[in-house]
Amino acid sequence: DEDSVMVSLIELYLMNNRIGDRGVEALVSDKGGKLPRLKILQLQENAIGPLGMQTLARAFERGWYVRHLNVLDNKCQLTSEMEELTRRR
């Protein structure tokens, strides 16, 4: 069943898939219920812009957490404030 696969997902590698800001929103909007065990999220080279990075930052502010987040080589990079949010846990 699709939900049980999502709940058990620990690592997600989406490099170079051009998911953009809308893809980031889709990922983090269901994080609490659909991806509760996710620890590694690779999002480099996905055309993520400022809106997508802000969406990630808001998710971290709400308590969303991954141990390793890679967002290199996108349209926008994490600011130092956003990076600090990823280290809070």
Side-chain angles (χ1 to χ4, degrees):
D1 151 276
E2 182 179 317
D3 284 340
S4 65
V5 170
M6 296 300 285
V7 169
S8 63
L9 194 63
I10 296 170
E11 299 179 12
L12 184 57
Y13 297 87
L14 294 173
M15 296 84 69
N16 201 25
N17 279 287
R18 305 195 55 79
I19 67 169
D21 297 337
R22 289 177 50 177
V24 170
E25 176 64 36
L27 278 172
V28 301
S29 65
D30 290 329
K31 170 62 174 102
K34 298 237 181 199
L35 300 170
R37 298 180 61 206
L38 190 64
K39 300 297 179 213
I40 297 173
L41 180 57
Q42 299 278 355
L43 294 175
Q44 67 269 29
E45 298 181 35
N46 270 297
I48 299 169
L51 182 61
M53 294 301 174
Q54 290 171 355
T55 300
L56 282 172
R58 282 193 308 274
F60 283 109
E61 287 174 333
R62 291 189 318 262
W64 190 73
Y65 173 73
V66 292
R67 187 175 303 140
H68 177 80
L69 172 66
N70 186 340
V71 291
L72 294 174
D73 299 322
N74 281 287
K75 291 181 179 179
C76 178
Q77 300 302 315
L78 286 177
T79 65
S80 58
E81 293 83 14
M82 292 175 183
E83 287 177 0
E84 179 60 32
L85 287 170
T86 67
R87 295 187 196 112
R88 287 200 177 161
R89 288 196 176 192

